[in-house]
Amino acid sequence: MTLYGIGLGPGQADLVTVRGKTVLESVDIVYSPGRLSRTVALNHVPESKIGDLDFPMTRDEEKLRAAWKTAAGEIAPQARDGDAAFVTLGDPNVYSTFGHLRRTLDAFHPDVDVEIVPGVSAMTAFATALDVEIEAGAGLALREAANGHAPTGPDRMILFKVTDAPATHDGLTAAGYDVTYGRRLYMEQGETVITDDPEEIDERDYYTLAYAVKRDLDIEPATARFDEMGETTSVEERV
Ligand SMILES: C[S@@+](CC[C@H](N)C(=O)[O-])C[C@H]1O[C@@H](n2cnc3c(N)ncnc32)[C@H](O)[C@@H]1O
């Protein structure tokens, strides 16, 4: 049978895809790596369907590997005898815990069939929440910015894991970026904040991302712009 890696979306129960919901309802057992994903899953399955997994709060690689090995050892027999699901927020293939599980299963339980159900990732949800258009032809890079890091280079970046917004902000503005932050976007728990002031979100909250765009970037939409009178303006008229 199968282990389904199901992406639950950013956190609101109705942003789980129809397929994600159908598979959640069909499996025998649902595992979740954290409290938030478990809460979203509980909108779609009864508590009795939730499996027990214990993840230590540690960065120690050896302890983490051991925890994933134990988790894979728990999940593998369930996915052999029946169908099981492992849920993650966003998409299972974007900076996700599901990658650890899949690698561990590949190494120790290669006979387990794995299927992924994609989810609405923060990497797309941010655009609507922050009212950003990634226009046709634009490039966009994904980066991580934990602990105040401020990666630079690409014209436009989405930064995940912004845990020290003021420090990240200093680095990015000094390198010539305008930055907007989004905290707890489309989440049922906690307050949603969208701001370009890092002091407003100086308290650490893991569910924070940033969109950084080079200040002098000449953004050229693929279709016409309209002036206040509704007239079409050409590129030459606008400059
Ligand atoms: C381990 S990554 C998981 C990404 C997830 N798999 C996805 O596709 O969205 C966690 C990071 O994603 C970002 N993130 C995920 N969900 C978010 C949300 N609802 N609002 C803001 N940021 C979010 C945060 O930067 C957080 O630190």
Side-chain angles (χ1 to χ4, degrees):
M1 309 283 273
T2 304
L3 172 69
Y4 293 92
I6 303 181
L8 295 178
Q12 287 177 342
D14 60 352
L15 283 177
V16 172
T17 65
V18 175
R19 186 182 300 183
K21 184 176 172 63
T22 306
V23 175
L24 272 177
E25 288 168 351
S26 75
V27 298
D28 306 299
I29 187 158
V30 177
Y31 293 99
S32 104
R35 195 171 48 84
L36 278 176
S37 51
R38 179 192 162 98
T39 307
V40 180
L42 280 172
N43 283 277
H44 303 286
V45 294
E47 185 134 28
S48 56
K49 243 194 188 184
I50 305 282
D52 242 355
L53 283 184
D54 199 19
F55 290 100
M57 293 296 285
T58 176
R59 290 204 187 137
D60 182 321
E61 282 202 13
E62 211 145 295
K63 283 193 189 139
L64 278 175
R65 257 197 298 274
W68 281 109
K69 198 171 165 192
T70 308
E74 165 79 25
I75 294 169
Q78 302 284 351
R80 272 191 211 102
D81 299 343
D83 285 328
F86 184 92
V87 294
T88 63
L89 286 180
D91 184 275
N93 277 327
V94 179
Y95 294 139
S96 169
T97 44
F98 185 72
H100 303 304
L101 177 62
R102 188 156 65 172
R103 281 187 290 281
T104 313
L105 285 169
D106 285 350
F108 297 101
H109 309 278
D111 57 319
V112 170
D113 287 330
V114 176
E115 244 182 69
I116 311 266
V117 179
V120 177
S121 172
M123 107 188 178
T124 52
F126 94 95
T128 303
L130 272 59
D131 195 20
V132 165
E133 180 191 359
I134 307 300
E135 70 279 4
L140 178 64
L142 302 186
R143 294 287 187 273
E144 287 189 348
N147 306 316
H149 286 176
T152 57
D155 288 343
R156 298 178 184 81
M157 297 181 287
I158 307 174
L159 307 166
F160 286 74
K161 304 182 184 176
V162 180
T163 51
D164 183 345
T168 293
H169 195 79
D170 285 349
L172 289 171
T173 48
Y177 287 89
D178 287 331
V179 194
T180 311
Y181 300 89
R183 173 166 285 181
R184 298 208 170 224
L185 307 172
Y186 300 107
M187 273 193 172
E188 267 156 24
Q189 289 172 323
E191 190 198 352
T192 296
V193 184
I194 295 166
T195 181
D196 51 13
D197 178 1
E199 300 305 327
E200 252 184 69
I201 48 162
D202 59 351
E203 238 171 72
R204 186 187 195 281
D205 183 330
Y206 181 66
Y207 290 99
T208 306
L209 54 71
Y211 174 63
V213 58
K214 282 249 176 83
R215 211 166 289 137
D216 54 3
L217 195 64
D218 190 14
I219 294 175
E220 192 52 59
T223 47
R225 273 189 187 140
F226 297 92
D227 65 19
E228 279 160 20
M229 307 293 290
E231 301 289 327
T232 312
T233 54
S234 70
V235 178
E236 291 74 28
E237 282 165 334
R238 266 185 274 123
V239 287

